[in-house]
């Protein structure tokens, strides 16, 4: 276990626990307006200060992290559960119409930058957290399909896969029994990367008003509110920004560490 | 080589075709009638019908798709529902901000990342490498629009080195324009530079383990000569992919950064149009951005073939 | 006078002793063969001669190049000698060249690195050297890129890079291991010729004793990082002193005792099998070229027969194997196994696979690393209609493991706990578990060291006499095929060009290609050694 990996694990676990804790307890009611107590700097009764409506920032960060993590996680689940089977199917049918169709479809989705996709979806259905999730979920599908196919293809040339086929197993079964377990490490690492990206995407979309809508707090929404007040009270922007950085940093360090731990090439071979 | 180009060109046209159909269909199913929106809730049915005919909204969908595409190809992007001005005119002004900003940011990103990546790879596991790695780990985690806010706070408000926002236009000379774009470009570039540095470093490290690097050492080349003469060009292959991806990303990223700096670019145009439900503008600008992304990917594919002779003989 | 002298070389990597007290010397025009099995330290000895050691290596002892001890030299002085006084040829020609530079430029680089001459002059020198190693400009111009060349041609380029400045010593590390047998013979002749013509000392690292026998003046046999025996080639090969050398020689020369053939009823019949692939178009409006990977191949295998299939890489033997196994659809032709024609139908293929199993080449790649041996061996049981009970299954696994010389406790270990030879035994156990009528050995011993290979071949012979196996043994290695088959087929460019009893084909080849192949095989016949 390397030190960066431990740091990543602690940071990720810390924020996830804090988000879960916010379900049952926060220092203050995050919706409670308290105008006399507005724009308090960090310290004192409000550990991280208050915003322009006098709401407690620590409580908002706790609830906001929960929203951000949830958005990122659901979008990740969409991308993983659709993209991985597509990638496995493409690799199992390399070169035929199915593979071609999947990869072509991927290219098309890739041509739409994430933000453009979110803009299109918002233009049609209006801005909401669900639409932000759908946009990022759609974006994740080709990412996972591509990574899965790329990792699975060399395995199909390996002899143990041929041995399994000679042993009478059909392609879907080979994919599930032999391919998937052997590429799971790659997928887990990719999942942490996409998870971290999801946090940033939620923040960006909510910042420009295409994501989570008021009154639901999210880290991106807090930054959007802070934009006009940043000169007056910099901590309104600094606190949620640092929270985003720490979550993303934690997840990325975790992913890097997992890559090293799960990499079969680094595993010990017999002498 | 010819065949490679033609094949790439074919896939470019196919992507453009499908993307345009997707955009058209999505905008079509968007709720709300632009004519009704423009005239307000008290519109008379006959004026509504007249406006619909004027905007070409009553024609069959297929015909309207081809009219739209035909118009785009000849540079006519239609007429804005809200401003009643040609979209091409609005876009031309905005693009003069967005594209220079994206190019500026890409240049910064490459100029930072390539030397940093080489330094880290050459000093692998030494303190310089660890410092670069730590910095990139931070850089990847920082959201660019938040970083932009912090830059404004420090360099525009506290030290007043740069303007906090707005854009003077290119007419007043190059320098004020570039000054206005500097902070936005830095905000866009640094997170991308962090990613590119990591790619550069790992690509170089991969190449350092290749057999031909040992062959070069056996010829009598020093470590440094091997790195420069044989390592760099081979390492550029994965780096190019990322640079291509980044340009698309930066191009789209300008949309958000423009919000922070109040820059009159494509991004602000899109957001205004969305809130005005000016869908013809959204449609055309989105198509334009997607077109840009697809063309950039095509150019990257060609650059590949220039760097890697193996691709020229492959289909 | 010696060109290269190594005295009492010891080498540690991260504190582990890898080489112990190595002393060698190479004189002008002399060919010294350093031989041994994998892990013996012979490649590191080669790298030490160029002072290109991996990170974390510390060296003791003395290496002298042209009467100057290398330990006195700075890194810059070492660079000035590498490529000029000492050159090196590597094992893997496919990766030893920079893929984005022309071959001419890569040869010229050695020249320009050491002499301040113009780009043009360096290019001319490079072209001359390329001609000298057999790459004439009309057939292989210097502006080609490595990927446009065959493996043998690439190895010639690597040799050109190493000899362009006429070094005193050339170190060749397994220069022909990755090449086909006919190419191997040409490359070895080229190296030997260059050494004699230029009076260059050649240090030839090889695991193949037959290569040693044909070309070396002197031999050093290595094992576990130390030299166990050294002497003239003739003396070492005809009268080996050390027990290890003796066992190596025995392993390389002794014949396998195959049991006599039994009944003869047809088992596998391949009729007019063809399979072609489309090649990428070179020019835009060209019609695509078809490559006939397998062209109108027909043959039969009788029950109890042991048939060999030999050919060089790209001859179509792997396509043929995959077609027989039903891993790839047939384009035309018929494959009949035990009376049923194999068709693309899933059930038919499944039924056919019950009658045949395969053992692949790579002992590291043919097992899922995440499963235990028991599960790996049991995989073919899927082919049976009724799954055996747990007890029955365990009994079958024990039996299969015992059959291949392993024990039942091995069933609960992971595959990475086994050596290459043991893995190949497990692969055989897996193939034999459902008692197939036909076993296909696809390069099954090619990745193994000579003594391990010998034991696996002995095992195949033993299992043949125990179970009366029928098999198709596919290999590029003629001597292996010769030792374990009754009948042999020779494949070239998608066609079977010669077929007959193994003895006849090898002693009296009729087809010109077979003659070329047989002639190219290096012989380890201790009576015809060079003097």
């Amino acid at each position: 276990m390397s030190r960066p990996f431990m740091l990543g694990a602690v940071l990720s676990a810390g924020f996830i626990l804090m988000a879960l804790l916010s379900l049952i307890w926060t220092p203050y009611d995050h919706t409670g307006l308290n105008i006399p107590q507005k724009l308090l700097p960090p310290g004192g009764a409000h550990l991280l200060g208050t915003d322009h409506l006098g709401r407690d920032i620590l409580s908002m960060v706790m609830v906001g992290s929960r929203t951000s993590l949830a958005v990122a996680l659901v979008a990740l689940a969409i991308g993983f559960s659709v993209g991985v089977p597509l990638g496995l199917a493409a690799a199992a049918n390399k070169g035929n119409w199915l593979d071609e169709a999947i990869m072509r479809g991927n290219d098309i989705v890739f041509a739409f930058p994430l933000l453009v996709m979110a803009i299109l979806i918002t233009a049609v259905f209006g801005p909401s957290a669900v639409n932000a999730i759908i946009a990022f979920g759609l974006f994740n599908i080709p990412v996972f399909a591509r990574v899965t196919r790329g990792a699975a293809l060399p395995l199909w040339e390996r002899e143990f896969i041929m041995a399994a086929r000679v042993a009478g197993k059909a392609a879907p079964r080979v994919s599930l029994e032999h391919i998937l377990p052997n590429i799971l490490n790659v997928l887990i690492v990719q999942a942490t990367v996409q998870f971290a990206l999801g946090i940033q995407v939620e923040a960006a979309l909510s910042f420009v008003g295409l994501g989570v809508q008021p009154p639901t707090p999210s880290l991106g929404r807090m930054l959007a509110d802070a934009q006009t007040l940043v000169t007056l009270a910099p901590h309104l922007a600094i606190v949620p920004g640092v929270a985003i950085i720490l979550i993303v940093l934690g997840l990325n360090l975790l992913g890097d560490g997992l890559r090293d731990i799960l990499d079969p090439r680094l595993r010990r071979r017999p002498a | 080589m010819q065949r490679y180009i033609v094949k790439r060109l074919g896939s470019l046209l196919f992507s453009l075709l499908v993307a345009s159909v997707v955009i058209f269909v999505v905008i079509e199913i968007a709720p709300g009638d632009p004519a009704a929106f423009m005239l307000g809730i008290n519109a008379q049915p006959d004026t509504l019908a007249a406006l619909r005919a004027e905007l070409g909204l009553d024609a069959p969908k297929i015909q309207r798709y081809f009219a739209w595409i035909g118009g785009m190809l000849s540079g006519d992007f239609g007429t804005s529902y809200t401003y009643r001005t040609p979209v091409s005119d609005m876009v031309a002004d905005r693009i003069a901000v967005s594209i220079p900003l994206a190019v500026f940011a890409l240049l910064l990103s490459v100029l930072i990342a390539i030397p940093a990546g080489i330094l880290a790879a050459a000093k692998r596991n030494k303190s310089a490498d660890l410092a670069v790695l730590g910095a990139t780990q931070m850089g990847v985690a920082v959201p660019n629009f938040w970083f932009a806010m912090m830059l404004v706070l420090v360099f525009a408000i506290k030290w007043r080195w740069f303007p906090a926002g707005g854009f003077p236009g290119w007419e007043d000379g190059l320098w004020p324009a570039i000054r206005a774009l500097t902070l936005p470009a830095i905000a866009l570039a640094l997170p991308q530079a962090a990613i590119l540095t990591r790619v550069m470093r790992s690509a170089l490290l991969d190449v350092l383990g290749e057999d031909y690097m040992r062959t070069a050492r056996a010829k009598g080349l020093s470590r440094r000569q091997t790195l420069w003469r044989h390592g760099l060009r081979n390492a550029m292959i994965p780096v190019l992919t990322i640079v291509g991806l980044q340009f698309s990303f930066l191009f789209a990223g300008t949309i958000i950064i423009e919000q922070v700096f109040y820059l009159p670019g494509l991004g602000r145009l899109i957001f205004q149009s969305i809130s005005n439900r000016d869908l013809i503008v959204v449609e055309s600008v989105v198509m334009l951005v997607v077109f840009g992304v697809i063309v950039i990917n095509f150019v990257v594919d060609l650059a590949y073939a220039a760097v890697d002779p193996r691709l020229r003989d492959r289909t | 006078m010696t060109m290269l002298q190594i005295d009492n070389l010891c080498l540690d990597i991260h504190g582990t002793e890898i080489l112990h007290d190595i002393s060698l010397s190479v004189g002008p025009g002399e060919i010294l063969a350093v031989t041994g099995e994998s892990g013996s330290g012979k490649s590191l000895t080669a790298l030490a001669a160029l002072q290109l050691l991996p990170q974390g290596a510390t060296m003791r002892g003395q290496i002298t190049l042209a009467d100057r001890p290398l330990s006195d030299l700075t890194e810059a002085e070492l660079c000035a000698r590498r490529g000029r006084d000492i050159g090196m040829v590597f094992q893997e020609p496919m990766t030893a060249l920079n893929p984005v530079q022309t071959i001419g430029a890569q040869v010229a680089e050695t020249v320009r690195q050491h002499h301040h001459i113009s780009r043009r002059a360096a290019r001319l020198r490079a072209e001359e050297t390329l001609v000298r190693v057999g790459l004439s400009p009309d057939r292989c111009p210097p502006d080609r890129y490595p990927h446009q060349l065959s493996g043998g041609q690439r190895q010639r380029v690597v040799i050109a890079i190493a000899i362009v400045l006429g070094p005193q010593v050339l170190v060749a590390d397994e220069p022909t291991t990755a090449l086909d047998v006919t190419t191997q013979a040409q490359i070895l002749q080229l190296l030997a010729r260059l050494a004699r013509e230029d009076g260059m000392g050649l240090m030839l690292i090889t695991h193949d004793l037959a290569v040693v026998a044909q070309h070396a003046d002197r031999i050093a046999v290595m094992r576990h990082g130390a030299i166990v025996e050294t002497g003239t080639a003739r003396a070492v090969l005809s009268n080996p002193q050390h027990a290890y050398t003796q066992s190596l020689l025995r392993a390389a020369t002794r014949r396998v005792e195959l049991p006599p053939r039994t009944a003869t009823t047809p088992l596998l019949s391949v009729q007019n099998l063809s399979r072609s692939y489309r090649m990428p178009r070179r020019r835009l409006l060209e019609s695509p070229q078809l490559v006939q990977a397998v062209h109108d191949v027909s043959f039969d295998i009788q029950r109890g027969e042991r048939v060999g299939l030999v050919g060089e890489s790209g001859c179509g033997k792997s396509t043929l194997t995959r077609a027989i196994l039903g891993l790839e659809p047939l384009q035309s032709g018929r494959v009949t196994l035990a009376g049923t024609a194999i068709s693309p139908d899933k059930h038919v293929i499944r039924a056919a696979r019950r009658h045949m199993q395969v053992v692949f080449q790579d002992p590291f790649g043919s097992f899922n690393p995440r499963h235990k041996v028991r599960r790996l061996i049991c995989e073919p049981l899927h082919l049976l209609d009724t799954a055996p009970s747990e007890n029955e299954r365990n009994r079958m696994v024990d039996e299969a493991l015992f059959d291949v010389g392993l024990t039942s406790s091995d069933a609960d270990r992971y595959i990475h706990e086994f050596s290459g030879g043991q893995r190949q035994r497990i692969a055989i156990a897996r193939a034999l578990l459902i008692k197939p009528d036909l076993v296909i050995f696809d390069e099954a011993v090619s990745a193994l060291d000579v003594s391990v290979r010998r034991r696996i071949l002995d095992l195949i012979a033993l299992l043949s006499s125990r179970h009366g196996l029928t098999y198709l043994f596919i290999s590029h290695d003629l001597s292996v095929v010769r030792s374990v088959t009754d009948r042999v087929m020779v494949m070239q460019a998608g066609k079977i060009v010669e077929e007959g009893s193994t003895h006849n084909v090898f002693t009296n080849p009729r087809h010109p290609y077979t003659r070329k192949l047989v002639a190219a095989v290096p012989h380890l016949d201790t009576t015809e050694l060079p003097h």
Side-chain angles (χ1 to χ4, degrees):
Chain A
M1 301 283 144
S2 65
R3 249 186 298 174
F5 173 73
M6 292 306 289
L7 178 65
V10 167
L11 278 175
S12 313
F15 271 94
I16 289 169
L17 285 178
M18 198 178 79
L20 290 176
L21 177 66
S22 77
L23 285 169
I24 49 171
W25 178 83
T26 51
Y28 293 84
D29 176 8
H30 73 273
T31 57
L33 306 191
N34 189 354
I35 305 294
Q37 296 280 303
K38 70 174 182 181
L39 296 179
L40 291 182
H46 296 275
L47 196 61
L48 297 177
T50 58
D51 73 353
H52 57 297
L53 301 173
R55 293 175 293 188
D56 178 53
I57 291 190
L58 176 59
S59 309
M60 287 180 75
V61 164
M62 287 173 70
V63 181
S65 305
R66 190 176 82 211
T67 317
S68 302
L69 286 168
V71 168
L73 194 65
V74 177
L76 172 68
I78 294 174
F80 195 94
S81 58
V82 180
V84 171
L86 282 181
L88 286 176
N93 296 284
K94 189 198 166 202
N96 77 7
W97 65 269
L98 184 65
D99 180 32
E100 191 69 15
I102 291 173
M103 294 325 285
R104 272 293 116 118
N106 268 348
D107 286 347
I108 302 293
V109 184
F110 257 159
F112 286 82
L114 177 56
L115 208 66
V116 172
M117 195 131 70
I119 284 169
L120 264 186
I121 290 176
T122 315
V124 179
F125 301 106
S128 76
V130 173
N131 290 340
I133 290 175
I134 292 174
F136 189 52
L138 274 180
F139 174 84
N140 274 339
I141 292 173
V143 171
F144 279 102
R146 215 167 255 226
V147 168
T148 305
R149 179 177 180 271
L153 273 186
L155 284 183
W156 276 101
E157 299 299 314
R158 292 272 295 274
E159 290 174 338
F160 75 88
I161 299 298
M162 283 201 249
R165 291 173 69 200
V166 173
K169 288 182 178 166
R173 185 158 184 181
V174 172
S175 287
L176 278 184
E177 267 184 33
H178 292 288
I179 306 276
L180 190 59
N182 279 296
I183 62 170
L184 211 53
N185 51 351
V186 182
L187 296 180
I188 289 173
V189 170
Q190 191 64 42
T192 62
V193 171
Q194 297 309 113
F195 194 17
L197 191 60
I199 302 288
Q200 289 188 315
V201 166
E202 184 282 321
L205 292 182
S206 302
F207 180 73
V208 292
L210 297 180
V212 177
Q213 299 298 308
T216 315
S218 83
L219 298 175
R221 279 228 28 80
M222 292 174 73
L223 287 174
D225 287 345
Q227 201 195 344
T228 47
L229 299 161
V230 68
T231 43
L232 268 164
H235 71 277
L236 291 189
I238 292 173
V239 171
V242 169
I244 293 172
I245 293 171
L246 290 181
I247 301 178
V248 174
L249 188 67
L251 287 169
N252 282 339
L253 290 176
L254 189 70
D256 283 359
L258 283 176
R259 190 196 318 259
D260 294 346
I261 292 169
L262 297 175
D263 189 344
R265 282 175 302 179
L266 298 177
R267 220 174 289 156
R268 208 164 43 88
R269 272 201 170 168
Chain B
M1 187 69 186
Q2 257 177 333
R3 183 169 162 72
Y4 176 81
I5 294 177
V6 168
K7 189 158 180 183
R8 292 287 126 200
L9 208 56
S11 110
L12 168 115
L13 291 176
F14 178 77
S15 301
L16 281 177
L17 179 72
V18 178
S20 65
V21 171
V22 170
I23 292 169
F24 183 77
V25 169
V26 167
I27 296 292
E28 277 302 306
I29 58 174
D33 176 3
F37 193 82
M38 285 162 72
L39 292 175
I41 37 171
N42 297 322
Q44 300 297 314
D46 52 334
T47 38
L48 205 61
L51 183 61
R52 287 179 59 83
E54 189 197 323
L55 294 174
L57 292 173
D58 53 352
K61 289 202 157 64
I62 303 271
Q63 198 181 323
R64 289 180 40 219
Y65 170 76
F66 283 108
W68 174 56
I69 290 297
M72 292 280 286
L73 286 177
S74 64
D76 173 11
F77 292 8
T79 306
S80 157
Y81 299 153
T82 28
Y83 299 108
R84 295 292 187 118
T85 49
V87 179
S88 321
D89 184 49
M90 300 163 73
V91 165
D93 285 348
R94 308 306 185 101
I95 251 182
V97 178
S98 294
I99 287 189
L101 176 55
V103 172
F104 192 178
L106 188 72
L107 280 179
L108 278 180
S109 165
V110 170
L111 286 179
I112 297 167
I114 305 261
I118 295 173
L119 174 75
K123 308 263 174 208
R124 187 183 189 183
N125 291 337
K126 302 214 175 95
S127 52
D129 181 27
L130 297 180
V132 169
L133 276 184
T136 60
Q137 203 56 269
M138 275 309 283
V140 172
V142 174
N144 56 17
F145 62 92
W146 180 82
F147 188 51
M149 286 162 79
M150 296 300 118
L151 288 177
V152 170
L153 210 56
V154 175
F155 293 102
I157 292 169
K158 194 159 178 224
W159 291 342
R160 301 190 175 277
W161 290 359
F162 294 95
F167 186 68
W170 295 97
E171 300 80 27
D172 297 350
L174 209 57
W175 176 237
I178 288 187
R179 228 167 78 98
L181 292 183
T182 301
L183 285 187
I186 292 175
L188 271 172
L190 274 192
Q192 297 303 305
I195 297 174
L196 198 58
T197 304
R198 294 177 80 86
V199 173
M200 183 75 215
R201 174 182 181 272
S202 69
L204 258 182
L205 288 181
D206 283 351
V207 167
L208 288 180
E210 292 284 347
D211 284 354
Y212 54 78
M213 299 297 273
R214 202 177 47 183
T215 308
R217 293 278 285 144
K219 283 181 188 178
L221 271 66
S222 69
R223 255 176 229 290
R224 176 186 290 266
Q225 285 171 325
T226 335
L227 182 73
W228 285 96
R229 291 197 209 157
H230 295 272
L232 274 185
R233 185 152 166 212
N234 281 291
M236 281 325 280
I237 295 167
V239 170
L240 261 181
T241 324
I242 303 298
V243 169
L245 281 178
Q246 289 203 329
F247 194 60
S248 335
F249 191 90
L250 288 170
F251 197 37
T254 57
I255 293 174
I256 288 186
I257 291 297
E258 283 165 12
Q259 294 294 100
V260 180
F261 290 95
Y262 304 101
L263 293 174
L266 282 180
R268 287 190 73 75
L269 181 62
I270 284 193
F271 286 117
Q272 283 160 8
S273 311
I274 286 182
S275 48
N276 295 336
R277 296 213 66 74
D278 198 346
L279 292 184
I280 180 89
V281 178
V282 176
E283 188 177 45
S284 297
V285 174
V286 165
M287 187 63 225
L288 201 66
V289 173
V290 170
F291 174 81
V293 170
I294 293 176
V295 169
I296 291 161
N297 286 338
F298 173 71
V299 173
V300 168
D301 280 343
L302 293 194
Y304 261 165
V307 175
D308 190 347
R310 285 166 295 187
L311 279 179
R312 289 175 218 158
D313 293 346
R314 213 186 293 160
T315 48
Chain C
M1 183 173 104
T2 60
M3 294 298 200
L4 175 73
Q5 172 120 16
I6 298 177
D7 293 307
N8 310 104
L9 170 70
C10 296
L11 186 82
D12 294 4
I13 294 184
H14 296 299
T16 316
E17 191 181 65
I18 306 290
L19 296 180
H20 179 70
D21 201 19
I22 305 277
S23 296
L24 292 170
S25 70
V26 188
E30 184 185 46
I31 301 178
L32 167 75
V34 180
T35 186
E37 295 186 295
S38 46
S40 60
K42 51 194 195 305
S43 286
L44 273 173
T45 309
L47 289 173
L50 276 90
Q51 292 290 292
L52 285 177
L53 291 167
Q55 282 201 341
T58 46
M59 201 193 89
R60 276 167 291 121
Q62 179 140 299
I63 298 175
T64 319
L65 179 63
D67 301 324
R68 180 87 194 263
L70 293 185
S71 48
D72 296 354
L73 301 181
T74 64
E75 177 60 27
E77 286 169 320
L78 281 171
C79 281
R81 285 170 183 253
R82 288 187 203 118
R84 192 191 69 196
D85 299 342
I86 183 165
M88 180 148 181
V89 178
F90 301 95
Q91 172 171 356
E92 196 40 82
M94 301 318 259
T95 52
L97 294 170
N98 186 342
V100 302
Q101 269 185 4
T102 63
I103 57 171
Q106 297 191 51
V107 180
E109 188 179 24
T110 312
V111 183
R112 296 206 5 120
Q113 181 69 19
H114 297 281
H115 297 305
H116 292 283
I117 60 172
S118 74
R119 212 170 271 276
R120 249 187 60 119
R123 188 138 295 191
L124 276 176
R125 183 104 183 245
E127 280 168 31
E128 283 163 21
T129 312
L130 282 171
V131 171
R132 201 163 166 231
V133 298
L135 297 172
S136 60
D138 49 324
R139 287 187 52 215
C140 185
D143 59 357
R144 290 274 177 95
Y145 287 97
H147 72 275
Q148 298 166 319
L149 272 56
S150 70
Q153 288 173 320
R154 291 188 206 193
Q155 196 62 302
R156 287 174 193 267
V157 177
V158 177
I159 293 171
I161 289 174
I163 62 144
V164 62
L165 292 178
Q168 285 139 330
V169 181
L170 180 63
V171 179
D173 184 8
E174 301 273 9
T176 60
T177 307
L179 302 174
D180 278 329
V181 56
T182 46
T183 321
Q184 160 171 319
Q186 291 160 7
I187 294 290
L188 286 172
Q189 270 159 19
L190 172 67
L191 284 171
R193 196 194 82 211
L194 291 170
R196 310 280 187 231
E197 280 178 10
D198 295 2
M200 174 174 72
L202 175 62
M203 180 167 160
L204 180 66
I205 315 282
T206 176
H207 68 284
D208 189 336
L209 280 170
V211 165
V212 172
Q214 281 202 322
H215 295 284
D217 301 311
R218 286 190 306 117
I219 296 183
V221 182
M222 286 185 71
R223 187 193 196 191
H224 300 326
I227 291 179
V228 296
E229 182 161 1
T230 142
T232 65
R234 191 182 170 74
V236 172
L237 292 176
S238 57
N239 187 17
Q241 298 300 304
H242 195 278
Y244 179 68
T245 319
Q246 290 164 0
S247 78
L248 272 185
L249 276 169
R250 257 202 316 279
T253 50
R254 209 194 69 222
R255 300 291 301 270
V256 174
E257 295 296 324
L258 270 189
R261 259 172 63 188
T262 49
T264 52
T265 52
L267 177 61
L268 175 80
S269 164
V270 173
Q271 285 155 17
N272 310 104
L273 187 76
S274 289
R275 170 104 184 131
S276 56
Y277 293 102
R278 229 192 72 176
M279 285 291 281
R281 272 172 278 206
R282 278 296 171 90
R283 254 178 267 283
L284 184 56
L285 296 171
E286 212 173 50
S287 53
Q289 300 248 312
L290 288 181
V291 167
Q292 286 281 346
V294 176
H295 185 66
D296 197 19
V297 165
S298 303
F299 63 89
D300 292 309
I301 294 180
Q302 312 283 318
R303 219 174 264 279
E305 251 192 325
R306 278 93 36 153
V307 180
L309 177 63
V310 293
E312 298 185 293
S313 56
C315 75
K317 56 188 194 303
S318 17
T319 308
L320 180 61
T321 317
R322 292 167 66 104
I324 295 173
L325 285 166
L327 290 172
E328 231 172 86
L330 307 180
Q331 269 167 338
S332 66
R334 248 166 84 88
V335 177
T336 318
L337 180 67
T340 12
I342 297 179
S343 74
D345 182 86
K346 255 194 286 188
H347 302 283
V348 176
I349 288 190
R350 208 176 120 86
R353 283 184 181 151
R354 214 169 294 163
H355 297 286
M356 65 184 165
Q357 285 292 304
V358 61
V359 177
F360 289 109
Q361 167 177 6
D362 182 5
F364 293 97
S366 58
F367 295 101
N368 187 333
R370 287 165 200 274
H371 294 168
K372 285 184 178 165
V373 167
R374 180 183 309 281
R375 184 163 172 198
L376 293 170
I377 292 186
C378 283
E379 204 157 34
L381 291 178
H382 286 275
L383 292 165
L384 302 183
D385 290 326
T386 48
S389 70
E390 172 127 22
N391 277 339
E392 175 70 2
R393 212 165 55 216
N394 287 342
R395 196 189 55 76
M396 289 171 87
V397 170
D398 288 353
E399 214 168 79
L401 284 173
F402 178 77
D403 237 358
V404 297
L406 297 170
T407 63
S408 49
S409 63
D410 291 325
D412 295 309
R413 292 163 65 192
Y414 285 100
I415 199 69
H416 68 257
E417 299 171 49
F418 294 91
S419 69
Q422 287 171 319
R423 287 177 201 214
Q424 238 22 5
R425 285 171 191 266
I426 294 168
I428 294 172
R430 172 170 66 183
L432 294 183
L433 186 74
I434 55 169
K435 308 253 180 293
D437 298 307
L438 174 69
V439 182
I440 295 178
F441 291 99
D442 185 1
E443 299 277 5
V445 296
S446 304
L448 304 174
D449 269 331
V450 51
S451 51
V452 181
R453 171 186 300 179
R454 176 57 35 185
R455 287 195 287 274
I456 297 291
L457 292 176
D458 283 339
L459 173 69
I460 291 174
L462 176 74
L463 292 171
S464 287
S465 56
R466 207 182 276 165
H467 303 295
L469 296 183
T470 310
Y471 57 75
L472 176 62
F473 196 103
I474 298 150
S475 181
H476 70 282
D477 187 330
L478 275 75
S479 56
V480 168
V481 169
R482 187 175 190 175
S483 64
V484 289
T485 61
D486 312 308
R487 192 154 66 85
V488 68
M489 302 181 288
V490 182
M491 203 165 171
Q492 183 202 16
K495 292 182 188 164
I496 290 182
V497 295
E498 183 160 358
E499 183 188 350
S501 89
T502 305
H503 182 77
N504 283 350
V505 170
F506 280 93
T507 49
N508 187 17
R510 290 187 314 272
H511 192 275
Y513 178 69
T514 318
R515 269 186 232 138
K516 202 173 119 194
L517 271 186
V518 171
V521 176
H523 286 291
L524 186 60
D525 189 342
T526 41
T527 54
E528 322 172 346
L529 288 169
H531 299 278

